[in-house]
Amino acid sequence: MDTHRDAHVAAVLSPMGEVIGTAEFPASAAGYRDLLGWARASGTVRRAGVEGTGSFGAALSRYLLAQGVAVFDVNRFDRADRRRRGKSDPLDAENAARAVLSGRARAKAKTGDGPVEIARMYKLAKDSAVKARTQAINQLKAVLIRADPQLREELAGLGNAELFRTCAGLVDDSLNHEAGEGAVLHATHVTLGLLARRIRQLSDEVQELEGRLTRLVGRHAPQLLAVVGIGPDTAVTLLITVGDNPERLGSEASFAALCGVSPVERSSGSRQYRRLNRGGDRQANAALHRIVQTRLRVDPRTQEYYERRSKEGKTRREIVRSLKRYAAREVYHLVRPVQSQPTS
C-alpha cells in the first residue's frame, strides 16, 4: 500500500507476481474495512507491505494487524528504479506488494497498541517541552543583554532558578508607558515576566511527563532500570525502537542493525574491512552511546575492558563501538522476553 494523509492506494498481487488489481480508499475506519474487503475478494490475504508504518500508514497497519494480516514496513524505492519506471501511487503500491512477495521487505511493522506507544507519545510531548523551554531561556537571557544596566546588574549574580523566580514577579505598572525610556523599561519587565512564567510552566510539564515515563518503565520494563547506565529516558528511547511487539526482531543482530551499531562489510579483493554502520535509529544509537559513556565513568568492568583493549592498540572510538554492540546485545535479551508477554 502507498499511504497518504487522506487516501491510501492498494495493489493486490497473485503468488506468481501478477497484478490482480489496484484501487484507492479513504484514510478512515470505513476505508480500512473496504480496503481489506476488496483485497480479500481476490483471495486469502496473509501479508501486506505498507509504506510509512510510522506515519500516514500507522493506523492502517494497526487495523491490518488486528485482522490477522502480517504487515511489513516498506521503504522508499531507490531513485534509479524511479527514474527508469516512473512514479505514481498505483506503481508505488505495486512496488510495495512486490517487496513483500520477493522477501525484500522483511521488517515487521510495530503494533503501536501497548505501553511502548504510550511512552512514545509522552516522550514526544516531553521533548517538545524541553525544546521550547530551552528556547525561552535563551530568549530571556538575550533580553537581559540589552536591558537597562541597573536592571541587568540587579539580576547579574542570580542563578537560573532564582533568576526565573525574580523575573516572573517583575510587574512595574508605576512606570510611564508612553514616555520613551520608561516605556522601554516597562516592556523589558513585561517580556522578562512572560518568558519566566513560560519557563516555569514548561518545567512543570517536563517534570510531570518525566514522572509518567518513569512510572511506565518501572511498571513494564523494570529490568532495564536495574542495568548500569540506563535511566528512564534511555530506557524509553530503546523501548520505542523495539516497539510493542519485540518478537518482530529475529535476533540480537537485527536489533543491533536497527540501532546502527552493527558493522557493515566493505571488503574487496584481499582487503578485509568493516566500516561503521551509519544507518538505523539514531535516537537509539545515541541512547547506547550514553550507556557506554556512563559505564566508562562508573563501571569497573567496563573500565577494565577499556584498559585491556587499549593495550591491544585499539583506539577509543573502536572500543566505544564494541561496547555499544555489547550494550545492544544486553538490552535485547533483557527486553525481548518480557515485552513479548501481554500486559494488562
Side-chain angles (χ1 to χ4, degrees):
M1 291 109 177
D2 183 35
T3 60
H4 299 276
R5 186 189 64 181
D6 300 319
H8 302 326
V9 178
V12 176
L13 302 183
S14 70
M16 300 302 295
E18 179 185 358
V19 179
I20 298 176
T22 60
E24 180 176 313
F25 300 89
S28 62
Y32 301 155
R33 290 192 297 269
D34 293 343
L35 186 156
L36 185 57
W38 168 81
R40 283 177 170 170
S42 302
T44 303
V45 178
R46 294 189 176 89
R47 297 178 296 169
V50 179
E51 284 191 14
T53 58
S55 55
F56 291 138
L60 175 61
S61 298
R62 288 196 296 269
Y63 175 77
L64 294 174
L65 287 168
Q67 299 301 313
V69 179
V71 179
F72 295 84
D73 190 11
V74 178
N75 296 324
R76 290 179 57 187
F77 289 88
D78 60 85
R79 295 179 180 178
D81 182 71
R82 292 201 169 192
R83 283 195 299 268
R84 184 172 62 253
R85 301 186 59 193
K87 165 75 171 70
S88 69
D89 292 344
L91 185 58
D92 286 346
E94 179 187 338
N95 286 337
R98 293 194 185 282
V100 174
L101 187 62
S102 65
R104 190 169 65 251
R106 294 179 294 177
K108 294 182 179 180
K110 299 178 182 178
T111 58
D113 59 355
V116 174
E117 180 65 13
I118 297 172
R120 188 191 68 81
M121 289 189 287
Y122 287 161
K123 190 173 187 302
L124 178 68
K126 178 197 164 187
D127 289 347
S128 64
V130 169
K131 183 177 180 179
R133 182 179 62 179
T134 301
Q135 183 183 43
I137 291 172
N138 292 338
Q139 289 171 339
L140 185 145
K141 293 187 175 181
V143 170
L144 282 176
I145 292 175
R146 294 173 57 93
D148 179 77
Q150 183 177 353
L151 175 62
R152 190 167 66 245
E153 291 168 8
E154 290 174 2
L155 302 176
L158 302 180
N160 278 349
E162 184 61 29
L163 173 64
F164 301 151
R165 280 195 297 269
T166 303
C167 290
L170 284 178
V171 178
D172 195 350
D173 292 330
S174 63
L175 292 174
N176 183 353
H177 299 357
E178 299 180 359
E181 185 178 352
V184 172
L185 183 57
H186 177 77
T188 302
H189 282 206
V190 171
T191 302
L192 291 174
L194 291 173
L195 288 171
R197 287 190 285 274
R198 184 186 303 171
I199 292 168
R200 182 171 58 192
Q201 178 183 356
L202 291 169
S203 296
D204 292 341
E205 287 183 17
V206 171
Q207 186 175 1
E208 178 188 351
L209 290 165
E210 283 179 344
R212 289 179 180 271
L213 288 170
T214 300
R215 291 191 296 271
L216 197 63
V217 175
R219 187 181 308 120
H220 296 284
Q223 71 279 8
L224 280 180
L225 299 180
V227 176
V228 177
I230 300 182
D233 192 66
T234 298
V236 165
T237 301
L238 294 171
L239 287 172
I240 291 172
T241 302
V242 172
D244 281 303
N245 52 331
E247 63 277 3
R248 70 193 183 93
L249 301 173
S251 65
E252 65 181 39
S254 64
F255 178 64
L258 186 60
C259 296
V261 295
S262 60
V264 178
E265 286 286 353
R266 288 296 299 272
S267 302
S268 179
S270 61
R271 184 171 183 263
Q272 302 298 311
Y273 175 69
R274 292 182 177 183
R275 70 162 176 82
L276 174 68
N277 186 346
R278 297 181 180 85
D281 187 332
R282 306 316 296 172
Q283 294 294 324
N285 190 286
L288 293 173
H289 188 79
R290 290 195 299 270
I291 293 173
V292 170
Q293 295 303 319
T294 301
R295 289 179 175 181
L296 284 172
R297 291 195 305 268
V298 303
D299 184 34
R301 289 193 313 163
T302 304
Q303 294 168 350
E304 180 183 349
Y305 175 85
Y306 181 84
E307 293 297 329
R308 177 165 55 85
R309 297 305 299 272
S310 295
K311 292 177 181 178
E312 294 174 0
K314 299 294 183 181
T315 65
R316 180 180 178 88
R317 180 175 294 182
E318 291 171 332
I319 298 172
V320 167
R321 289 176 186 171
S322 297
L323 288 170
K324 287 167 72 173
R325 178 66 175 85
Y326 295 150
R329 178 182 297 123
E330 184 178 10
V331 169
Y332 172 81
H333 288 291
L334 281 172
V335 172
R336 191 175 188 274
V338 176
Q339 286 296 102
S340 60
Q341 299 173 358
T343 56
S344 57

mmCIF file of all heavy atoms in Angstrom, residues 66-111:
data_model
loop_
_atom_site.group_PDB
_atom_site.id
_atom_site.type_symbol
_atom_site.label_atom_id
_atom_site.label_comp_id
_atom_site.label_asym_id
_atom_site.label_seq_id
_atom_site.Cartn_x
_atom_site.Cartn_y
_atom_site.Cartn_z
ATOM 1 N N ALA A 66 -4.618 -6.221 13.550
ATOM 2 C CA ALA A 66 -5.745 -6.695 14.355
ATOM 3 C C ALA A 66 -6.597 -7.701 13.595
ATOM 4 O O ALA A 66 -7.276 -8.545 14.206
ATOM 5 C CB ALA A 66 -6.606 -5.515 14.802
ATOM 6 N N GLN A 67 -6.576 -7.646 12.265
ATOM 7 C CA GLN A 67 -7.346 -8.568 11.433
ATOM 8 C C GLN A 67 -6.550 -9.810 11.036
ATOM 9 O O GLN A 67 -6.998 -10.595 10.206
ATOM 10 C CB GLN A 67 -7.832 -7.851 10.171
ATOM 11 C CG GLN A 67 -8.746 -6.677 10.437
ATOM 12 C CD GLN A 67 -9.993 -7.084 11.198
ATOM 13 O OE1 GLN A 67 -10.640 -8.069 10.849
ATOM 14 N NE2 GLN A 67 -10.341 -6.334 12.242
ATOM 15 N N GLY A 68 -5.373 -9.983 11.621
ATOM 16 C CA GLY A 68 -4.582 -11.180 11.380
ATOM 17 C C GLY A 68 -3.707 -11.142 10.149
ATOM 18 O O GLY A 68 -3.228 -12.189 9.693
ATOM 19 N N VAL A 69 -3.474 -9.956 9.603
ATOM 20 C CA VAL A 69 -2.612 -9.813 8.427
ATOM 21 C C VAL A 69 -1.214 -9.408 8.884
ATOM 22 O O VAL A 69 -1.072 -8.458 9.666
ATOM 23 C CB VAL A 69 -3.172 -8.763 7.445
ATOM 24 C CG1 VAL A 69 -2.251 -8.608 6.242
ATOM 25 C CG2 VAL A 69 -4.579 -9.149 6.997
ATOM 26 N N ALA A 70 -0.189 -10.106 8.442
ATOM 27 C CA ALA A 70 1.193 -9.742 8.755
ATOM 28 C C ALA A 70 1.583 -8.511 7.947
ATOM 29 O O ALA A 70 1.490 -8.524 6.709
ATOM 30 C CB ALA A 70 2.134 -10.901 8.448
ATOM 31 N N VAL A 71 1.998 -7.457 8.633
ATOM 32 C CA VAL A 71 2.313 -6.189 7.971
ATOM 33 C C VAL A 71 3.821 -5.981 7.980
ATOM 34 O O VAL A 71 4.465 -6.109 9.030
ATOM 35 C CB VAL A 71 1.604 -5.008 8.662
ATOM 36 C CG1 VAL A 71 1.969 -3.691 7.981
ATOM 37 C CG2 VAL A 71 0.092 -5.225 8.651
ATOM 38 N N PHE A 72 4.370 -5.606 6.833
ATOM 39 C CA PHE A 72 5.798 -5.351 6.693
ATOM 40 C C PHE A 72 6.010 -3.901 6.287
ATOM 41 O O PHE A 72 5.270 -3.359 5.450
ATOM 42 C CB PHE A 72 6.422 -6.282 5.645
ATOM 43 C CG PHE A 72 6.380 -7.730 6.025
ATOM 44 C CD1 PHE A 72 5.245 -8.494 5.787
ATOM 45 C CD2 PHE A 72 7.463 -8.325 6.651
ATOM 46 C CE1 PHE A 72 5.195 -9.830 6.143
ATOM 47 C CE2 PHE A 72 7.429 -9.665 7.006
ATOM 48 C CZ PHE A 72 6.285 -10.422 6.765
ATOM 49 N N ASP A 73 7.026 -3.298 6.898
ATOM 50 C CA ASP A 73 7.359 -1.910 6.591
ATOM 51 C C ASP A 73 8.160 -1.861 5.297
ATOM 52 O O ASP A 73 9.168 -2.553 5.151
ATOM 53 C CB ASP A 73 8.168 -1.311 7.746
ATOM 54 C CG ASP A 73 8.342 0.191 7.612
ATOM 55 O OD1 ASP A 73 7.667 0.784 6.747
ATOM 56 O OD2 ASP A 73 9.141 0.762 8.371
ATOM 57 N N VAL A 74 7.711 -1.038 4.361
ATOM 58 C CA VAL A 74 8.359 -0.934 3.052
ATOM 59 C C VAL A 74 9.007 0.440 2.938
ATOM 60 O O VAL A 74 8.347 1.464 3.122
ATOM 61 C CB VAL A 74 7.343 -1.126 1.906
ATOM 62 C CG1 VAL A 74 8.029 -0.962 0.561
ATOM 63 C CG2 VAL A 74 6.683 -2.489 2.014
ATOM 64 N N ASN A 75 10.278 0.463 2.639
ATOM 65 C CA ASN A 75 10.998 1.720 2.457
ATOM 66 C C ASN A 75 10.771 2.271 1.058
ATOM 67 O O ASN A 75 10.312 1.569 0.150
ATOM 68 C CB ASN A 75 12.499 1.505 2.673
ATOM 69 C CG ASN A 75 12.811 1.091 4.092
ATOM 70 O OD1 ASN A 75 12.178 1.549 5.037
ATOM 71 N ND2 ASN A 75 13.790 0.206 4.242
ATOM 72 N N ARG A 76 11.108 3.554 0.898
ATOM 73 C CA ARG A 76 11.040 4.156 -0.429
ATOM 74 C C ARG A 76 12.018 3.462 -1.369
ATOM 75 O O ARG A 76 13.098 3.048 -0.974
ATOM 76 C CB ARG A 76 11.392 5.647 -0.354
ATOM 77 C CG ARG A 76 10.353 6.495 0.331
ATOM 78 C CD ARG A 76 10.814 7.938 0.378
ATOM 79 N NE ARG A 76 11.095 8.440 -0.950
ATOM 80 C CZ ARG A 76 11.652 9.629 -1.193
ATOM 81 N NH1 ARG A 76 12.000 10.417 -0.173
ATOM 82 N NH2 ARG A 76 11.852 10.038 -2.419
ATOM 83 N N PHE A 77 11.611 3.340 -2.617
ATOM 84 C CA PHE A 77 12.471 2.662 -3.582
ATOM 85 C C PHE A 77 13.566 3.602 -4.083
ATOM 86 O O PHE A 77 13.437 4.821 -4.033
ATOM 87 C CB PHE A 77 11.623 2.131 -4.737
ATOM 88 C CG PHE A 77 10.760 0.970 -4.320
ATOM 89 C CD1 PHE A 77 9.506 1.196 -3.790
ATOM 90 C CD2 PHE A 77 11.232 -0.320 -4.421
ATOM 91 C CE1 PHE A 77 8.719 0.125 -3.381
ATOM 92 C CE2 PHE A 77 10.454 -1.389 -4.021
ATOM 93 C CZ PHE A 77 9.193 -1.162 -3.500
ATOM 94 N N ASP A 78 14.648 2.984 -4.545
ATOM 95 C CA ASP A 78 15.814 3.782 -4.930
ATOM 96 C C ASP A 78 15.489 4.651 -6.135
ATOM 97 O O ASP A 78 14.590 4.357 -6.937
ATOM 98 C CB ASP A 78 17.010 2.871 -5.231
ATOM 99 C CG ASP A 78 16.711 1.911 -6.370
ATOM 100 O OD1 ASP A 78 16.890 2.314 -7.528
ATOM 101 O OD2 ASP A 78 16.271 0.775 -6.103
ATOM 102 N N ARG A 79 16.250 5.739 -6.259
ATOM 103 C CA ARG A 79 15.995 6.723 -7.307
ATOM 104 C C ARG A 79 16.210 6.168 -8.704
ATOM 105 O O ARG A 79 15.523 6.575 -9.654
ATOM 106 C CB ARG A 79 16.887 7.943 -7.076
ATOM 107 C CG ARG A 79 16.563 8.688 -5.785
ATOM 108 C CD ARG A 79 17.483 9.863 -5.603
ATOM 109 N NE ARG A 79 17.178 10.591 -4.366
ATOM 110 C CZ ARG A 79 17.859 11.648 -3.937
ATOM 111 N NH1 ARG A 79 18.888 12.104 -4.647
ATOM 112 N NH2 ARG A 79 17.529 12.253 -2.811
ATOM 113 N N ALA A 80 17.156 5.242 -8.837
ATOM 114 C CA ALA A 80 17.411 4.674 -10.163
ATOM 115 C C ALA A 80 16.168 3.946 -10.673
ATOM 116 O O ALA A 80 15.800 4.051 -11.849
ATOM 117 C CB ALA A 80 18.602 3.711 -10.098
ATOM 118 N N ASP A 81 15.497 3.204 -9.776
ATOM 119 C CA ASP A 81 14.289 2.492 -10.184
ATOM 120 C C ASP A 81 13.185 3.475 -10.542
ATOM 121 O O ASP A 81 12.437 3.258 -11.500
ATOM 122 C CB ASP A 81 13.839 1.571 -9.042
ATOM 123 C CG ASP A 81 12.606 0.758 -9.405
ATOM 124 O OD1 ASP A 81 12.729 -0.153 -10.229
ATOM 125 O OD2 ASP A 81 11.511 1.055 -8.868
ATOM 126 N N ARG A 82 13.072 4.561 -9.789
ATOM 127 C CA ARG A 82 12.026 5.546 -10.083
ATOM 128 C C ARG A 82 12.302 6.272 -11.401
ATOM 129 O O ARG A 82 11.371 6.596 -12.138
ATOM 130 C CB ARG A 82 11.931 6.550 -8.945
ATOM 131 C CG ARG A 82 11.392 5.919 -7.659
ATOM 132 C CD ARG A 82 10.830 6.943 -6.714
ATOM 133 N NE ARG A 82 10.109 6.297 -5.626
ATOM 134 C CZ ARG A 82 9.327 6.931 -4.776
ATOM 135 N NH1 ARG A 82 9.160 8.240 -4.895
ATOM 136 N NH2 ARG A 82 8.698 6.283 -3.812
ATOM 137 N N ARG A 83 13.562 6.539 -11.674
ATOM 138 C CA ARG A 83 13.884 7.184 -12.952
ATOM 139 C C ARG A 83 13.553 6.257 -14.124
ATOM 140 O O ARG A 83 13.108 6.704 -15.175
ATOM 141 C CB ARG A 83 15.360 7.570 -12.990
ATOM 142 C CG ARG A 83 15.705 8.819 -12.192
ATOM 143 C CD ARG A 83 17.071 9.332 -12.586
ATOM 144 N NE ARG A 83 18.118 8.362 -12.325
ATOM 145 C CZ ARG A 83 18.814 8.302 -11.197
ATOM 146 N NH1 ARG A 83 18.551 9.152 -10.210
ATOM 147 N NH2 ARG A 83 19.751 7.396 -11.034
ATOM 148 N N ARG A 84 13.756 4.977 -13.919
ATOM 149 C CA ARG A 84 13.543 4.016 -15.003
ATOM 150 C C ARG A 84 12.062 3.716 -15.227
ATOM 151 O O ARG A 84 11.591 3.652 -16.362
ATOM 152 C CB ARG A 84 14.295 2.721 -14.684
ATOM 153 C CG ARG A 84 14.219 1.676 -15.787
ATOM 154 C CD ARG A 84 15.141 0.494 -15.487
ATOM 155 N NE ARG A 84 14.747 -0.196 -14.261
ATOM 156 C CZ ARG A 84 15.408 -0.129 -13.115
ATOM 157 N NH1 ARG A 84 16.507 0.608 -13.023
ATOM 158 N NH2 ARG A 84 15.000 -0.785 -12.051
ATOM 159 N N ARG A 85 11.303 3.564 -14.129
ATOM 160 C CA ARG A 85 9.917 3.126 -14.254
ATOM 161 C C ARG A 85 8.900 4.240 -14.044
ATOM 162 O O ARG A 85 7.727 4.065 -14.337
ATOM 163 C CB ARG A 85 9.649 2.007 -13.240
ATOM 164 C CG ARG A 85 10.550 0.791 -13.408
ATOM 165 C CD ARG A 85 10.132 -0.314 -12.473
ATOM 166 N NE ARG A 85 8.747 -0.718 -12.714
ATOM 167 C CZ ARG A 85 8.048 -1.490 -11.885
ATOM 168 N NH1 ARG A 85 8.605 -1.913 -10.769
ATOM 169 N NH2 ARG A 85 6.807 -1.826 -12.174
ATOM 170 N N GLY A 86 9.340 5.372 -13.523
ATOM 171 C CA GLY A 86 8.401 6.457 -13.267
ATOM 172 C C GLY A 86 7.854 6.403 -11.853
ATOM 173 O O GLY A 86 8.221 5.548 -11.042
ATOM 174 N N LYS A 87 6.930 7.331 -11.567
ATOM 175 C CA LYS A 87 6.398 7.461 -10.211
ATOM 176 C C LYS A 87 4.902 7.726 -10.284
ATOM 177 O O LYS A 87 4.449 8.642 -10.967
ATOM 178 C CB LYS A 87 7.110 8.631 -9.495
ATOM 179 C CG LYS A 87 6.416 9.125 -8.219
ATOM 180 C CD LYS A 87 6.635 8.163 -7.081
ATOM 181 C CE LYS A 87 6.132 8.757 -5.756
ATOM 182 N NZ LYS A 87 4.647 8.853 -5.700
ATOM 183 N N SER A 88 4.129 6.888 -9.574
ATOM 184 C CA SER A 88 2.694 7.098 -9.422
ATOM 185 C C SER A 88 2.256 6.320 -8.186
ATOM 186 O O SER A 88 2.945 5.384 -7.749
ATOM 187 C CB SER A 88 1.914 6.635 -10.656
ATOM 188 O OG SER A 88 1.946 5.222 -10.763
ATOM 189 N N ASP A 89 1.109 6.669 -7.638
ATOM 190 C CA ASP A 89 0.627 5.971 -6.448
ATOM 191 C C ASP A 89 0.331 4.500 -6.715
ATOM 192 O O ASP A 89 0.738 3.643 -5.926
ATOM 193 C CB ASP A 89 -0.614 6.683 -5.899
ATOM 194 C CG ASP A 89 -0.287 8.061 -5.335
ATOM 195 O OD1 ASP A 89 0.911 8.324 -5.092
ATOM 196 O OD2 ASP A 89 -1.211 8.872 -5.131
ATOM 197 N N PRO A 90 -0.358 4.144 -7.803
ATOM 198 C CA PRO A 90 -0.562 2.715 -8.075
ATOM 199 C C PRO A 90 0.745 1.952 -8.270
ATOM 200 O O PRO A 90 0.879 0.805 -7.829
ATOM 201 C CB PRO A 90 -1.397 2.715 -9.370
ATOM 202 C CG PRO A 90 -2.097 4.036 -9.355
ATOM 203 C CD PRO A 90 -1.109 4.990 -8.754
ATOM 204 N N LEU A 91 1.730 2.596 -8.912
ATOM 205 C CA LEU A 91 3.021 1.936 -9.114
ATOM 206 C C LEU A 91 3.748 1.751 -7.783
ATOM 207 O O LEU A 91 4.364 0.703 -7.541
ATOM 208 C CB LEU A 91 3.874 2.752 -10.079
ATOM 209 C CG LEU A 91 5.217 2.130 -10.498
ATOM 210 C CD1 LEU A 91 4.988 0.768 -11.150
ATOM 211 C CD2 LEU A 91 5.957 3.065 -11.441
ATOM 212 N N ASP A 92 3.662 2.743 -6.892
ATOM 213 C CA ASP A 92 4.273 2.611 -5.574
ATOM 214 C C ASP A 92 3.602 1.493 -4.775
ATOM 215 O O ASP A 92 4.271 0.741 -4.048
ATOM 216 C CB ASP A 92 4.166 3.931 -4.803
ATOM 217 C CG ASP A 92 5.145 4.978 -5.324
ATOM 218 O OD1 ASP A 92 6.055 4.603 -6.084
ATOM 219 O OD2 ASP A 92 4.989 6.155 -4.974
ATOM 220 N N ALA A 93 2.275 1.380 -4.872
ATOM 221 C CA ALA A 93 1.564 0.311 -4.176
ATOM 222 C C ALA A 93 1.975 -1.053 -4.713
ATOM 223 O O ALA A 93 2.174 -2.011 -3.956
ATOM 224 C CB ALA A 93 0.057 0.513 -4.320
ATOM 225 N N GLU A 94 2.134 -1.146 -6.025
ATOM 226 C CA GLU A 94 2.583 -2.405 -6.630
ATOM 227 C C GLU A 94 3.995 -2.751 -6.182
ATOM 228 O O GLU A 94 4.295 -3.914 -5.869
ATOM 229 C CB GLU A 94 2.530 -2.279 -8.157
ATOM 230 C CG GLU A 94 3.008 -3.518 -8.879
ATOM 231 C CD GLU A 94 3.103 -3.306 -10.385
ATOM 232 O OE1 GLU A 94 2.424 -2.383 -10.907
ATOM 233 O OE2 GLU A 94 3.877 -4.042 -11.038
ATOM 234 N N ASN A 95 4.872 -1.752 -6.145
ATOM 235 C CA ASN A 95 6.242 -1.996 -5.691
ATOM 236 C C ASN A 95 6.279 -2.467 -4.245
ATOM 237 O O ASN A 95 7.096 -3.321 -3.872
ATOM 238 C CB ASN A 95 7.071 -0.723 -5.845
ATOM 239 C CG ASN A 95 7.421 -0.429 -7.295
ATOM 240 O OD1 ASN A 95 7.429 -1.331 -8.132
ATOM 241 N ND2 ASN A 95 7.702 0.826 -7.596
ATOM 242 N N ALA A 96 5.404 -1.898 -3.403
ATOM 243 C CA ALA A 96 5.345 -2.329 -2.001
ATOM 244 C C ALA A 96 4.924 -3.786 -1.904
ATOM 245 O O ALA A 96 5.484 -4.568 -1.110
ATOM 246 C CB ALA A 96 4.377 -1.435 -1.229
ATOM 247 N N ALA A 97 3.931 -4.180 -2.700
ATOM 248 C CA ALA A 97 3.483 -5.574 -2.696
ATOM 249 C C ALA A 97 4.589 -6.503 -3.201
ATOM 250 O O ALA A 97 4.795 -7.600 -2.661
ATOM 251 C CB ALA A 97 2.228 -5.711 -3.552
ATOM 252 N N ARG A 98 5.303 -6.080 -4.230
ATOM 253 C CA ARG A 98 6.384 -6.914 -4.768
ATOM 254 C C ARG A 98 7.533 -7.048 -3.762
ATOM 255 O O ARG A 98 8.201 -8.085 -3.710
ATOM 256 C CB ARG A 98 6.899 -6.340 -6.078
ATOM 257 C CG ARG A 98 5.885 -6.405 -7.218
ATOM 258 C CD ARG A 98 6.521 -6.153 -8.571
ATOM 259 N NE ARG A 98 5.494 -6.119 -9.612
ATOM 260 C CZ ARG A 98 4.926 -7.201 -10.129
ATOM 261 N NH1 ARG A 98 5.329 -8.401 -9.723
ATOM 262 N NH2 ARG A 98 3.993 -7.095 -11.062
ATOM 263 N N ALA A 99 7.775 -6.010 -2.979
ATOM 264 C CA ALA A 99 8.839 -6.091 -1.973
ATOM 265 C C ALA A 99 8.534 -7.162 -0.941
ATOM 266 O O ALA A 99 9.431 -7.891 -0.488
ATOM 267 C CB ALA A 99 9.003 -4.732 -1.296
ATOM 268 N N VAL A 100 7.252 -7.307 -0.572
ATOM 269 C CA VAL A 100 6.862 -8.345 0.384
ATOM 270 C C VAL A 100 6.903 -9.719 -0.276
ATOM 271 O O VAL A 100 7.398 -10.693 0.298
ATOM 272 C CB VAL A 100 5.450 -8.059 0.945
ATOM 273 C CG1 VAL A 100 4.987 -9.211 1.836
ATOM 274 C CG2 VAL A 100 5.445 -6.759 1.713
ATOM 275 N N LEU A 101 6.397 -9.802 -1.501
ATOM 276 C CA LEU A 101 6.353 -11.084 -2.207
ATOM 277 C C LEU A 101 7.752 -11.644 -2.456
ATOM 278 O O LEU A 101 7.974 -12.859 -2.343
ATOM 279 C CB LEU A 101 5.613 -10.903 -3.533
ATOM 280 C CG LEU A 101 5.320 -12.182 -4.337
ATOM 281 C CD1 LEU A 101 4.406 -13.113 -3.551
ATOM 282 C CD2 LEU A 101 4.690 -11.821 -5.678
ATOM 283 N N SER A 102 8.704 -10.771 -2.760
ATOM 284 C CA SER A 102 10.072 -11.215 -3.048
ATOM 285 C C SER A 102 10.890 -11.458 -1.789
ATOM 286 O O SER A 102 11.972 -12.043 -1.858
ATOM 287 C CB SER A 102 10.782 -10.168 -3.916
ATOM 288 O OG SER A 102 10.948 -8.951 -3.200
ATOM 289 N N GLY A 103 10.389 -10.999 -0.654
ATOM 290 C CA GLY A 103 11.149 -11.145 0.587
ATOM 291 C C GLY A 103 12.105 -10.008 0.848
ATOM 292 O O GLY A 103 12.861 -10.025 1.829
ATOM 293 N N ARG A 104 12.100 -8.993 -0.028
ATOM 294 C CA ARG A 104 12.988 -7.856 0.174
ATOM 295 C C ARG A 104 12.572 -7.033 1.389
ATOM 296 O O ARG A 104 13.415 -6.518 2.114
ATOM 297 C CB ARG A 104 13.001 -6.988 -1.095
ATOM 298 C CG ARG A 104 14.078 -5.902 -1.090
ATOM 299 C CD ARG A 104 14.225 -5.255 -2.451
ATOM 300 N NE ARG A 104 13.029 -4.523 -2.845
ATOM 301 C CZ ARG A 104 12.200 -4.904 -3.804
ATOM 302 N NH1 ARG A 104 12.418 -6.043 -4.460
ATOM 303 N NH2 ARG A 104 11.131 -4.200 -4.122
ATOM 304 N N ALA A 105 11.281 -6.917 1.609
ATOM 305 C CA ALA A 105 10.769 -6.220 2.793
ATOM 306 C C ALA A 105 10.566 -7.254 3.895
ATOM 307 O O ALA A 105 9.650 -8.080 3.824
ATOM 308 C CB ALA A 105 9.463 -5.507 2.465
ATOM 309 N N ARG A 106 11.425 -7.239 4.896
ATOM 310 C CA ARG A 106 11.366 -8.232 5.969
ATOM 311 C C ARG A 106 11.123 -7.634 7.340
ATOM 312 O O ARG A 106 10.967 -8.363 8.313
ATOM 313 C CB ARG A 106 12.664 -9.038 5.994
ATOM 314 C CG ARG A 106 12.860 -9.905 4.760
ATOM 315 C CD ARG A 106 14.167 -10.653 4.820
ATOM 316 N NE ARG A 106 15.318 -9.761 4.758
ATOM 317 C CZ ARG A 106 16.583 -10.153 4.845
ATOM 318 N NH1 ARG A 106 16.851 -11.434 5.018
ATOM 319 N NH2 ARG A 106 17.560 -9.284 4.769
ATOM 320 N N ALA A 107 11.100 -6.300 7.436
ATOM 321 C CA ALA A 107 10.905 -5.648 8.734
ATOM 322 C C ALA A 107 9.414 -5.600 9.065
ATOM 323 O O ALA A 107 8.636 -4.937 8.381
ATOM 324 C CB ALA A 107 11.480 -4.231 8.703
ATOM 325 N N LYS A 108 9.031 -6.321 10.109
ATOM 326 C CA LYS A 108 7.634 -6.317 10.513
ATOM 327 C C LYS A 108 7.279 -4.988 11.165
ATOM 328 O O LYS A 108 8.086 -4.384 11.874
ATOM 329 C CB LYS A 108 7.365 -7.461 11.485
ATOM 330 C CG LYS A 108 7.509 -8.845 10.849
ATOM 331 C CD LYS A 108 7.180 -9.938 11.839
ATOM 332 C CE LYS A 108 7.313 -11.313 11.195
ATOM 333 N NZ LYS A 108 7.004 -12.402 12.153
ATOM 334 N N ALA A 109 6.073 -4.539 10.933
ATOM 335 C CA ALA A 109 5.627 -3.250 11.465
ATOM 336 C C ALA A 109 5.372 -3.347 12.967
ATOM 337 O O ALA A 109 5.017 -4.412 13.495
ATOM 338 C CB ALA A 109 4.358 -2.798 10.753
ATOM 339 N N LYS A 110 5.537 -2.227 13.659
ATOM 340 C CA LYS A 110 5.206 -2.159 15.077
ATOM 341 C C LYS A 110 3.687 -2.145 15.244
ATOM 342 O O LYS A 110 2.978 -1.520 14.455
ATOM 343 C CB LYS A 110 5.804 -0.900 15.707
ATOM 344 C CG LYS A 110 7.321 -0.833 15.642
ATOM 345 C CD LYS A 110 7.820 0.469 16.239
ATOM 346 C CE LYS A 110 9.334 0.587 16.130
ATOM 347 N NZ LYS A 110 9.823 1.869 16.674
ATOM 348 N N THR A 111 3.230 -2.810 16.307
ATOM 349 C CA THR A 111 1.785 -2.837 16.535
ATOM 350 C C THR A 111 1.267 -1.489 17.027
ATOM 351 O O THR A 111 0.167 -1.077 16.668
ATOM 352 C CB THR A 111 1.430 -3.916 17.560
ATOM 353 O OG1 THR A 111 2.148 -3.658 18.789
ATOM 354 C CG2 THR A 111 1.796 -5.304 17.042
#
